[in-house]
Amino acid sequence: MPIPRAAAVAITMAFGLMMAVPPALGHSEQQVTHPEAGEQLDTTPDAITVEFDAPMRITSVTLKDGDGTAFPVEAASGRDAVTTLEVPLQPLPDAAYTFSWRGLSEDGHTMSGELSFSIEAR
Ligand SMILES: [Cu+2]
């Protein structure tokens, strides 16, 4: 899944391509998530986790349902650079959710990603 980047970073990356410089060198990228994108769960998981291929300093995490209602969440690691972002969850009502994170990769680039999943008791 492509990772959306801030517009300024996208412009920087496009310029990097024009200069024939590998644009992703030094980036950390989102690798594996739990839940998986689009996963349908029957109970709230203990935590959302996102793995990166290099340390990422997480600057914000948000969790919203389909109505845009925000649920308070925090990275377990605070502002430390991590290769696994862990966001503990309290039990959530049945709904579709979008989790978003923003962070700084080791090369100083602003990175972000999203993960959608749903919870429906069976
Ligand atoms: Cu970068």
Side-chain angles (χ1 to χ4, degrees), residues 13 23-28 105 107-109 111:
M13 291 297 164
L25 216 61
H27 262 7
S28 36
S105 66
D107 63 6
H109 285 147
M111 305 293 290

Short mmCIF file of all heavy atoms in Angstrom, two decimals, residues 13 23-28 105 107-109 111, ligand 1:
data_model
loop_
_atom_site.label_atom_id
_atom_site.label_comp_id
_atom_site.label_asym_id
_atom_site.label_seq_id
_atom_site.Cartn_x
_atom_site.Cartn_y
_atom_site.Cartn_z
N MET A 13 10.56 14.86 -3.25
CA MET A 13 10.80 13.55 -3.85
C MET A 13 10.78 13.66 -5.38
O MET A 13 11.60 13.05 -6.06
CB MET A 13 9.75 12.55 -3.38
CG MET A 13 9.88 12.20 -1.92
SD MET A 13 11.45 11.39 -1.56
CE MET A 13 11.49 11.55 0.21
N PRO A 23 15.09 8.32 -4.54
CA PRO A 23 14.35 9.17 -3.62
C PRO A 23 14.10 8.54 -2.26
O PRO A 23 13.91 9.24 -1.28
CB PRO A 23 13.03 9.42 -4.34
CG PRO A 23 12.87 8.23 -5.24
CD PRO A 23 14.26 7.80 -5.63
N ALA A 24 14.10 7.21 -2.18
CA ALA A 24 13.67 6.58 -0.94
C ALA A 24 14.85 6.20 -0.04
O ALA A 24 14.66 5.61 1.00
CB ALA A 24 12.83 5.35 -1.23
N LEU A 25 16.06 6.54 -0.46
CA LEU A 25 17.22 6.17 0.33
C LEU A 25 17.15 6.79 1.74
O LEU A 25 16.97 7.98 1.88
CB LEU A 25 18.49 6.68 -0.37
CG LEU A 25 19.72 5.79 -0.28
CD1 LEU A 25 19.44 4.43 -0.92
CD2 LEU A 25 20.90 6.46 -0.97
N GLY A 26 17.29 5.95 2.75
CA GLY A 26 17.28 6.47 4.12
C GLY A 26 15.92 6.58 4.74
O GLY A 26 15.82 6.84 5.92
N HIS A 27 14.88 6.43 3.94
CA HIS A 27 13.51 6.43 4.46
C HIS A 27 13.27 5.23 5.35
O HIS A 27 13.77 4.16 5.09
CB HIS A 27 12.55 6.23 3.30
CG HIS A 27 11.94 7.46 2.79
ND1 HIS A 27 12.28 8.72 3.19
CD2 HIS A 27 10.96 7.61 1.89
CE1 HIS A 27 11.55 9.57 2.53
NE2 HIS A 27 10.75 8.94 1.73
N SER A 28 12.41 5.41 6.32
CA SER A 28 11.79 4.24 6.91
C SER A 28 10.37 4.16 6.36
O SER A 28 9.71 5.15 6.18
CB SER A 28 11.79 4.32 8.44
OG SER A 28 11.61 5.63 8.87
N SER A 105 11.16 10.07 9.76
CA SER A 105 12.10 8.98 9.53
C SER A 105 13.51 9.47 9.84
O SER A 105 13.74 10.66 10.07
CB SER A 105 11.97 8.44 8.11
OG SER A 105 12.36 9.41 7.18
N ASP A 107 16.04 10.04 8.13
CA ASP A 107 16.61 11.06 7.26
C ASP A 107 15.90 12.40 7.41
O ASP A 107 16.15 13.34 6.65
CB ASP A 107 16.60 10.59 5.80
CG ASP A 107 15.19 10.36 5.27
OD1 ASP A 107 14.22 10.68 5.99
OD2 ASP A 107 15.07 9.87 4.14
N GLY A 108 14.98 12.49 8.39
CA GLY A 108 14.33 13.76 8.69
C GLY A 108 13.07 14.03 7.87
O GLY A 108 12.44 15.06 8.04
N HIS A 109 12.70 13.07 6.99
CA HIS A 109 11.49 13.27 6.19
C HIS A 109 10.25 13.00 7.01
O HIS A 109 10.21 12.06 7.80
CB HIS A 109 11.50 12.36 4.96
CG HIS A 109 12.43 12.83 3.89
ND1 HIS A 109 13.11 11.98 3.07
CD2 HIS A 109 12.80 14.07 3.53
CE1 HIS A 109 13.86 12.69 2.24
NE2 HIS A 109 13.69 13.96 2.51
N MET A 111 6.80 11.45 7.45
CA MET A 111 6.15 10.29 6.87
C MET A 111 4.78 10.15 7.53
O MET A 111 4.55 10.64 8.64
CB MET A 111 6.96 9.02 7.15
CG MET A 111 8.40 9.08 6.69
SD MET A 111 8.57 9.15 4.91
CE MET A 111 8.05 7.49 4.48
CU CU B 1 13.40 10.22 3.09
#
